[in-house]
Amino acid sequence: MVVSRQITPGQVSFLLGIIPIFIAWIYSEFLEHKKSAPLSKVHSDNNLVELAAGQTIKEDDQAVLLEGLKKSASAKFYGSTVKTNLIRFLTMEDSFLLEHRLTLRAMSEFGAIVLYFYISDRTNFLRESTKQYNRDLFLFLYALLIIVAAMASLKKHNDKSAFSGKTMQYLSRHQTEEWKGWMQVLFLMYHYFAATEIYNAIRVFIAAYVWMTGFGNFSYYYIRKDFSLARFAQMMWRLNFFVAFCCIVLNNDYMLYYICPMHTLFTVMVYGALGIFHKYNEIPLVMAVKILACFLVVILIWEIPGVFDLLWSPFSFLLGYTDPAKPDLTRLHEWHFRSGLDRYIWIIGMIYAYYHPNVEKWMEKLEECETKKKLSIKASIVAVSLFVGYLWYECIYKLDKVTYNKYHPYTSWIPITVYICLRNFTLQLRNYSLTLFAWLGKITLETYISQFHIWLRSNVSNGQPKWLLCFIPEYPLLNFMLTTAIYVLVSHRLFELTNTLKSTFIPTKENRRLLYNCVAGAVISLCLYCISLILLQIPFSPVSP
């Protein structure tokens, strides 16, 4: 395996941190095995029936232990101070390692996956192949997936509405997850096969994701009224924990994964809009003023020349990006382009969320109408939606990509609204969803980030993934099958690990403990970085025979 890259302080810091964790985890597994060894010997003296019963009980206990991982690991972790925990870790105290064995395992597994990312993308250990687009194959694969999903995962839901208490299922969690899932599949296939002809559709999909950021966050904060620091920290962890390590280990700019900073920004803006004077959110006039203020902020930043650069220039170290293929562009060009495309749609999502209870009540009354009247109203909604969608397709969607991008910020709400109307115009459509797509919709962040390194391949820092990762040369479809299986499996595992570590390190109620953890994490990171700088200054020369 050849590595032709200059080693960075961040990469050394990562190794300095993950190696002790990995050693501690291995030792904790040894201690666990050693502790359970006497019990196994006692069981070995019993008859086979008792042994089988004992094994069954042990398996049940393990299942309970794994089920309670989030609660138990978090509770034990906060049983003592950060300083004490760090000392116990560095001294490899047996009781500490046994208590946190599952957490150490999760951290080690996460580190191993990130190292796999580096090996796949930045070394010549694995091969690469070129992208090839065939419309027939593209449509065949996607249609096949839809058929399989419909046959194997169509499910009826009977969840009650949080507003009306009835089974309306209008824009339910099942439906939005399914929506994200089928869009994500097309988004990923667009990258894998270089299907440039659906570029405008991909822009709409990304707008729909941002719309859901506004819709979902508004719904949560408006209903739950939970503006706690812990909730905000959990959201930031979910959006940025994984991508931060990808940036460090792979030496990439944050903006390479532009979805993450975009969703982070608009999540913060929704949080700020509802969090300021949140006691008055129930007053319609106050909410109208807040939404209007959001529009004015967007207009000020993105529409008035010079304001965007003035505001974001101090953050160019974080949001700046230089594409090796386009070195002449300014560092903030990518951030201006990406964030500007969807600058309004998150506010539209907030508006739809605000009127969600009213729409549900109207739909409830509609379902209670006489059949003839109900069918005529629904038919009118479908007809208008299809007509508006057709006009948008003919007048906007068919434009070339450069021209389309100019209209996109002001028109992306149209296809989104048309889809919502068509997806929800009957109770039967609302009650059913394809759970396969919903499952994929839950791991969209992980699949988005992972595609750069273990499905596709860029082979250079900050490079766009122009090649395909290749396990089976000269067999593109078999290679597609194998790399996709590994890629989806790893993405799902990363989703689970991110949530497991979030429950361990982000307390739900103790703000002081959260502050201690943040400070401790910053101090540890700084120390590791300083040590890595010192190590990199040591000259290494080849040993002569």
Side-chain angles (χ1 to χ4, degrees):
M1 179 173 63
V2 177
V3 181
S4 59
R5 310 288 187 278
Q6 183 178 1
I7 299 176
T8 66
Q11 292 167 345
V12 177
S13 301
F14 173 79
L15 289 175
L16 290 175
I18 199 63
I19 290 174
I21 291 173
F22 185 78
I23 294 173
W25 167 59
I26 294 297
Y27 184 53
S28 70
E29 295 289 355
F30 169 75
L31 292 174
E32 178 67 19
H33 175 74
K34 184 179 178 181
K35 185 179 72 172
S36 59
L39 183 61
S40 300
K41 186 175 180 180
V42 171
H43 277 287
S44 67
D45 293 334
N46 296 331
N47 59 52
L48 292 175
V49 176
E50 291 175 341
L51 175 59
Q55 288 175 338
T56 303
I57 295 172
K58 185 177 179 181
E59 289 175 358
D60 293 340
D61 290 342
Q62 289 175 344
V64 173
L65 178 62
L66 291 174
E67 182 69 23
L69 170 62
K70 293 184 178 180
K71 294 183 179 180
S72 63
S74 181
K76 292 174 182 177
F77 187 82
Y78 298 123
S80 54
T81 64
V82 173
K83 181 179 178 181
T84 303
N85 281 328
L86 185 59
I87 293 174
R88 295 174 69 193
F89 171 76
L90 293 175
T91 57
M92 301 285 281
E93 183 180 313
D94 290 3
S95 60
F96 176 83
L97 297 181
L98 285 171
E99 287 174 4
H100 303 288
R101 178 176 58 89
L102 297 177
T103 300
L104 291 170
R105 178 192 295 176
M107 296 171 71
S108 300
E109 187 177 352
F110 181 86
I113 290 175
V114 176
L115 287 175
Y116 170 63
F117 276 37
Y118 185 88
I119 293 172
S120 298
D121 192 31
R122 298 301 164 80
T123 71
N124 66 352
F125 186 76
L126 298 174
R127 298 185 181 183
E128 60 193 34
S129 59
T130 57
K131 298 180 180 181
Q132 295 180 348
Y133 177 60
N134 182 292
R135 183 188 296 174
D136 181 47
L137 178 63
F138 184 92
L139 295 176
F140 167 77
L141 290 174
Y142 191 65
L144 181 63
L145 181 63
I146 292 176
I147 293 171
V148 171
M151 294 177 64
S153 68
L154 184 64
K155 182 179 179 180
K156 184 177 181 179
H157 306 281
N158 297 306
D159 299 349
K160 303 294 183 180
S161 167
F163 301 104
S164 65
K166 296 187 177 182
T167 310
M168 295 306 296
Q169 299 293 339
Y170 168 62
L171 286 175
S172 64
R173 184 65 177 266
H174 306 291
Q175 188 182 127
T176 54
E177 295 288 7
E178 177 204 70
W179 186 4
K180 288 194 295 183
W182 69 255
M183 287 193 304
Q184 185 72 354
V185 172
L186 278 175
F187 180 64
L188 296 171
M189 291 177 65
Y190 161 79
H191 282 158
Y192 191 91
F193 293 103
T196 55
E197 66 177 357
I198 64 168
Y199 172 87
N200 293 352
I202 299 303
R203 296 273 67 82
V204 175
F205 296 165
I206 295 174
Y209 289 128
V210 177
W211 180 92
M212 279 185 259
T213 294
F215 180 87
N217 283 290
F218 184 99
S219 298
Y220 178 86
Y221 292 123
Y222 190 74
I223 297 172
R224 300 287 183 87
K225 300 176 175 58
D226 178 12
F227 298 95
S228 63
L229 183 61
R231 166 65 184 179
F232 180 77
Q234 289 172 349
M235 285 298 298
M236 293 300 101
W237 179 286
R238 176 75 183 92
L239 289 170
N240 294 291
F241 171 74
F242 175 35
V243 73
F245 279 93
C246 287
C247 291
I248 292 170
V249 174
L250 294 152
N251 193 29
N252 287 330
D253 289 334
Y254 184 37
M255 265 308 298
L256 177 66
Y257 316 93
Y258 64 89
I259 293 293
C260 297
M262 271 180 54
H263 284 277
T264 298
L265 170 66
F266 297 131
T267 297
V268 170
M269 295 182 80
V270 174
Y271 179 83
L274 270 71
I276 298 173
F277 301 117
H278 60 87
K279 294 181 180 180
Y280 306 99
N281 283 344
E282 300 292 338
I283 302 175
L285 180 60
V286 173
M287 190 54 61
V289 170
K290 287 188 173 187
I291 292 175
L292 178 61
C294 290
F295 277 111
L296 292 176
V297 168
V298 171
I299 292 171
L300 174 65
I301 296 174
W302 277 275
E303 305 288 358
I304 299 178
V307 176
F308 183 91
D309 291 332
L310 182 65
L311 175 65
W312 296 111
S313 291
F315 303 97
S316 59
F317 70 96
L318 179 64
L319 298 171
Y321 171 72
T322 301
D323 188 344
K326 303 174 183 177
D328 296 333
L329 297 177
T330 62
R331 289 277 293 166
L332 286 176
H333 174 271
E334 188 76 3
W335 176 232
H336 183 271
F337 173 69
R338 298 296 183 181
S339 62
L341 282 173
D342 300 307
R343 56 186 179 268
Y344 291 111
I345 196 64
W346 63 278
I347 308 176
I348 305 299
M350 290 174 60
I351 295 173
Y352 282 30
Y354 181 69
Y355 286 104
H356 185 275
N358 301 79
V359 176
E360 272 203 342
K361 290 178 182 178
W362 179 83
M363 294 174 73
E364 181 182 334
K365 293 180 180 179
L366 178 61
E367 294 297 335
E368 295 173 353
C369 291
E370 58 181 5
T371 304
K372 185 177 180 180
K373 182 179 180 180
K374 178 171 64 175
L375 291 177
S376 62
I377 294 175
K378 290 184 177 182
S380 300
I381 293 173
V382 172
V384 171
S385 299
L386 291 174
F387 178 71
V388 172
Y390 174 77
L391 289 180
W392 170 83
Y393 176 79
E394 289 292 332
C395 300
I396 304 296
Y397 181 81
K398 284 187 174 182
L399 297 172
D400 64 274
K401 61 183 290 185
V402 175
T403 307
Y404 173 82
N405 285 338
K406 295 178 181 178
Y407 291 96
H408 176 81
Y410 315 102
T411 61
S412 61
W413 63 273
I414 297 174
I416 292 173
T417 305
V418 169
Y419 174 79
I420 292 172
C421 292
L422 296 178
R423 181 66 177 82
N424 291 275
F425 81 94
T426 70
L427 184 63
Q428 288 74 20
L429 277 175
R430 295 194 298 271
N431 285 347
Y432 284 89
S433 73
L434 301 177
T435 56
L436 174 60
F437 284 126
W439 181 81
L440 291 170
K442 293 179 181 179
I443 59 173
T444 51
L445 182 65
E446 288 73 22
T447 52
Y448 167 74
I449 297 172
S450 299
Q451 65 167 323
F452 285 83
H453 310 296
I454 61 170
W455 202 43
L456 310 175
R457 184 178 167 97
S458 62
N459 204 31
V460 65
S461 295
N462 291 324
Q464 297 296 326
K466 297 181 179 180
W467 295 277
L468 307 176
L469 184 64
C470 183
F471 285 116
I472 311 175
E474 300 181 6
Y475 291 89
L477 293 181
L478 287 177
N479 184 72
F480 172 73
M481 179 188 68
L482 179 59
T483 56
T484 301
I486 296 173
Y487 158 64
V488 173
L489 176 64
V490 170
S491 297
H492 183 259
R493 189 60 190 142
L494 283 167
F495 169 77
E496 294 178 332
L497 291 172
T498 300
N499 286 328
T500 297
L501 295 174
K502 178 185 70 175
S503 65
T504 302
F505 293 104
I506 307 294
T508 56
K509 296 181 180 179
E510 302 176 68
N511 288 341
R512 180 175 294 183
R513 182 69 66 183
L514 175 61
L515 178 61
Y516 287 162
N517 287 350
C518 292
V519 172
V523 170
I524 292 172
S525 300
L526 181 61
C527 291
L528 292 175
Y529 191 81
C530 291
I531 295 173
S532 67
L533 286 175
I534 295 173
L535 291 175
L536 289 175
Q537 295 302 315
I538 300 175
F540 291 95
S541 57
V543 179
S544 57

